[in-house]
């Protein structure tokens, strides 16, 4: 089976496994802090995807949130970057609004990405250079919007912290409105499908955005870190994803004035995954 079809196939199967086991008891553990959760389903889904890929493509390498490929420090060959459940808090509290996110890169070049909204059974997919699709329907290029008529997505936590409040309040104030969905992968897919016009966040890991980046760039979206630099697939990153003109407006009018503060925030913070 062609690699792209294999990617979609195992993603849909992994989603079906999650839906089938939704009523089984969940084992919930905490990771870095009491609000940072992981469940047996996150781990089982990563293992399912890992085993399927290794069986079929033993020379491919896999980076996953729940421990796969911890030592990988270069992008040589075929690399899968996997978040088995993006939006674990939504998964635990709501049993919806979470996604499986996968990006495949070959020698560091984009190959294909999926973001699968498991409970709504909506598959966002893209093969680099071949357009992006939502449940098989081709997505149009996203529209360019000024901030004043844009809906932006941002985690409200960034508005509560002393070191970031002054940077982000003007952005939220001057937008048409703000939303927070709790799944970075879905945020990327929503920018790609024109439901929202930008997503801004200060810290994402490669597995949060690898699939979504390939999808949104296929429809004209721009993805950089908050210093305006290309994102790094091997480390954590800050993120601004938006249509082209809105990305420019956010960078020039809202983030560049805080360049020194943002550089300070970035120092050291993003060197590791
Ligand atoms: P997760 O559910 O896979 O952990 C929620 O705002 C978004 O941020 C989700 O995509 C979530 O992914 C991600 N996230 C949660 N904790 C994070 C952390 N400590 N650093 C970076 N991203 C995180
Ligand atoms: Ca997590
Ligand atoms: Ca994630
Ligand atoms: Ca996750």
């Amino acid at each position: 089976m062609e690699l792209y079809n294999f990617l979609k196939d195992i993603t849909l199967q992994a989603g079906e496994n999650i839906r089938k086991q939704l009523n089984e008891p969940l084992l919930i553990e905490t990771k870095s802090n009491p609000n940072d959760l992981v469940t047996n389903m996150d781990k089982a889904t990563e293992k399912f995807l890992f085993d399927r890929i290794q069986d079929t493509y033993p020379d491919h390498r896999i980076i996953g949130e729940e421990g796969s490929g911890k030592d990988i420090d270069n992008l040589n060959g075929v690399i899968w970057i996997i978040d088995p459940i993006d939006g674990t808090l939504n998964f635990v509290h709501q049993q919806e609004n979470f996604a499986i996110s996968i990006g495949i890169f070959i020698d560091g070049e984009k190959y294909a990405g999926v973001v699968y909204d498991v409970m709504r059974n909506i598959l966002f997919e893209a093969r680099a250079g071949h357009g992006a699709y939502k449940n098989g329907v081709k997505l149009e290029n996203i529209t360019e919007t000024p901030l004043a008529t844009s809906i932006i997505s941002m985690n409200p936590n960034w508005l509560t912290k002393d070191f970031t409040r002054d940077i982000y309040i003007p952005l939220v104030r001057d937008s048409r409105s703000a939303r927070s969905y709790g799944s970075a992968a879905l945020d990327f897919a929503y920018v790609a499908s024109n439901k929202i016009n930008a997503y801004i966040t200060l810290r994402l890991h490669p597995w949060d955005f690898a699939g979504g980046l390939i999808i949104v760039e296929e429809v004209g979206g721009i993805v950089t870190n908050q210093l305006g630099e290309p994102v790094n697939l091997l480390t954590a990153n800050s993120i601004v994803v938006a249509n082209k003109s809105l990305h420019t407006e956010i960078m020039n009018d809202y983030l560049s004035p805080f360049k020194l503060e943002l550089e300070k925030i970035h120092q050291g913070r993003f060197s590791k995954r």
Side-chain angles (χ1 to χ4, degrees):
M1 194 191 298
E2 194 206 345
L3 179 57
Y4 186 53
N5 286 328
F6 176 81
L7 162 67
K8 291 196 281 183
D9 204 51
I10 60 172
T11 302
L12 295 175
Q13 283 178 34
E16 195 182 342
N17 291 345
I18 295 173
R19 285 192 300 269
K20 271 196 198 141
Q21 292 171 66
L22 217 56
N23 295 323
E24 313 263 317
L26 261 191
L27 228 119
I28 304 169
E29 296 167 70
T30 58
K31 293 169 88 176
S32 63
N33 68 64
N35 301 326
D36 184 6
L37 306 183
V38 60
T39 74
N40 55 313
M41 193 60 70
D42 297 69
K43 294 177 184 176
T45 302
E46 182 160 316
K47 184 175 185 323
F48 170 81
L49 293 166
F50 185 98
D51 290 348
R52 291 294 312 272
I53 297 160
Q54 288 289 281
D55 283 351
T56 311
Y57 300 105
D59 57 328
H60 291 192
R61 297 191 296 163
I62 302 159
I63 295 172
E65 179 180 9
E66 308 311 340
S68 303
K70 267 195 168 64
D71 302 333
I72 293 176
D73 63 356
N74 65 67
L75 295 171
N76 301 338
V78 183
I79 305 243
W80 295 63
I81 304 181
I82 297 179
D83 194 338
I85 296 185
D86 183 62
T88 293
L89 283 182
N90 290 348
F91 174 67
V92 170
H93 285 255
Q94 308 176 340
Q95 291 82 51
E96 61 180 353
N97 302 320
F98 60 90
I100 297 171
S101 169
I102 304 178
I104 303 179
F105 295 79
I106 303 181
D107 292 328
E109 301 286 329
K110 293 178 286 186
Y111 172 70
V114 292
V115 171
Y116 184 39
D117 180 335
V118 173
M119 299 314 291
R120 290 189 186 84
N121 190 23
I122 298 174
L123 181 70
F124 297 91
E125 44 152 313
R127 195 150 53 98
H130 293 81
Y133 293 79
K134 175 184 175 181
N135 276 354
V137 179
K138 194 163 200 259
L139 294 172
E140 303 280 328
N141 262 22
I142 53 179
T143 44
E144 304 210 9
T145 53
L147 183 63
T149 59
S150 292
I151 295 186
I152 66 171
S153 174
M154 178 186 287
N155 186 325
N157 290 346
W158 298 118
L159 304 176
T160 69
K161 296 186 197 301
D162 287 339
F163 74 109
T164 50
R165 177 185 292 130
D166 293 346
I167 306 175
Y168 300 120
I169 283 178
L171 201 49
V172 172
R173 184 192 56 213
D174 295 349
S175 70
R176 175 164 275 172
S177 194
R179 299 284 183 271
S180 185
Y181 294 102
S183 157
L186 288 176
D187 281 300
F188 272 75
Y190 294 162
V191 173
S193 50
N194 235 1
K195 281 174 178 256
I196 59 175
N197 307 106
Y199 171 53
I200 299 109
T201 187
L202 203 40
R203 188 177 164 82
L204 287 187
H205 295 284
W207 42 80
D208 299 315
F209 64 79
L213 169 118
I214 295 174
I215 294 166
V216 78
E217 287 189 346
E218 276 304 300
V219 290
I222 308 291
V223 182
T224 67
N225 72 11
Q226 292 191 17
L227 301 172
E229 301 161 343
V231 294
N232 185 327
L233 292 167
L234 292 170
T235 65
N237 292 261
S238 64
I239 292 283
V240 183
V241 49
N243 64 68
K244 195 164 186 290
S245 62
L246 181 58
H247 188 281
T248 302
E249 184 181 355
I250 291 171
M251 285 309 308
N252 289 353
D253 299 352
Y254 293 87
L255 297 183
S256 295
F258 290 98
K259 193 163 189 283
L260 288 179
E261 288 84 348
L262 282 166
E263 277 172 353
K264 219 166 102 190
I265 293 169
H266 281 66
Q267 265 158 28
R269 252 174 103 96
F270 301 111
S271 56
K272 290 200 298 261
R273 259 200 315 273

